[in-house]
Amino acid sequence: MPALSLIIADDHQLVRAGLCKMIEAQSDLRVVAQCRTGTEALAALKEQTCHVLLLDLSLPDMSGLDVLRSAREHHPTVSVLVLSGFPERQFGINVLRAGAKGFISKGADEAELLRAVRTVARGKRYVGPELADLLVNGMDTDADKPTHNALSEREFQIFCKLAEGRSVTDIANKLFLSVKTVSTYRSRLLEKMGMKTNADITSYAIRNNLIQ
């Protein structure tokens, strides 16, 4: 049986090297590209045939969420497994909504990571224990649930960009939307989250470990 192929996208060289060494030690897995940026990852997806994109959310040139959405749109047969230092509780639900096949913490052990890779490579969904517990018990009944989980996929995408300090005009240009449309999303997400300003968004994002 042919080996399952992966593209790794992470901005830390040591992390990429460690992941590559771990994966290449498996007879049924192989790494076909290593990428430092989102741009490199999207280019690699065009050039290489692969089963899994192992994706970090924090990249130097663009949001990992934007890479995820582009991969889902242009390479629907590729399963995206998000490997992140961000907490499962804070980002996991939204990552799955955005189209990822799985979310796993960088604190996971080798066996769990390999299990996750093999699971999503076969088109199945993988979530870690904490996120699985949230999904089973139902986020809607959890009084302590993060407010941002009430946002739609597009609202959360714009929320993250506002939290980073981007202007409405910049966001509109990046997402190929009109300024009016982005402003409408901004007003809607502020209302849902009970906030008034972009500063409130940034403060919330920092408190909930949504930005570094």
Side-chain angles (χ1 to χ4, degrees), residues 5-6 23 27 37-39 43-44 69 98-99 102-104 111 124-125 131 140 144-145 156 165 169 182 197-198:
S5 56
L6 291 85
I23 291 166
S27 60
T37 67
T39 302
R69 288 182 177 88
F103 183 99
I104 188 168
K124 298 181 180 180
R125 179 170 287 186
L131 185 54
D140 293 336
D144 296 324
K145 68 177 181 178
F156 183 68
T169 300
V182 174
T197 67
N198 288 3

Side-chain angles (χ1 to χ4, degrees), residues 151-159 162 168 171-172 175 177-193 201:
L151 301 178
S152 69
E153 178 186 335
R154 178 67 86 179
E155 287 167 350
F156 183 68
Q157 183 183 27
I158 291 173
F159 167 88
L162 290 170
V168 168
I171 295 171
L175 300 181
L177 299 172
S178 70
V179 171
K180 182 178 180 181
T181 297
V182 174
S183 295
T184 299
Y185 276 115
R186 176 183 176 276
S187 297
R188 190 181 302 163
L189 70 87
L190 285 171
E191 181 179 355
K192 281 187 176 182
M193 299 187 70
I201 292 174

Side-chain angles (χ1 to χ4, degrees), residues 106-122:
K106 284 188 175 180
D109 60 27
E110 178 177 338
E112 184 181 356
L113 174 59
L114 293 173
R115 183 164 59 250
V117 167
R118 293 184 174 107
T119 298
V120 302
R122 292 172 172 83

Side-chain angles (χ1 to χ4, degrees), residues 50-86:
C50 78
H51 296 90
V52 178
L53 170 62
L54 190 56
L55 176 67
D56 186 11
L57 288 179
S58 183
L59 298 171
D61 61 335
M62 61 193 298
S63 165
L65 287 171
D66 291 339
V67 177
L68 167 58
R69 288 182 177 88
S70 181
R72 185 186 64 177
E73 179 179 357
H74 299 291
H75 308 280
T77 61
V78 176
S79 296
V80 180
L81 175 62
V82 171
L83 175 65
S84 178
F86 290 115

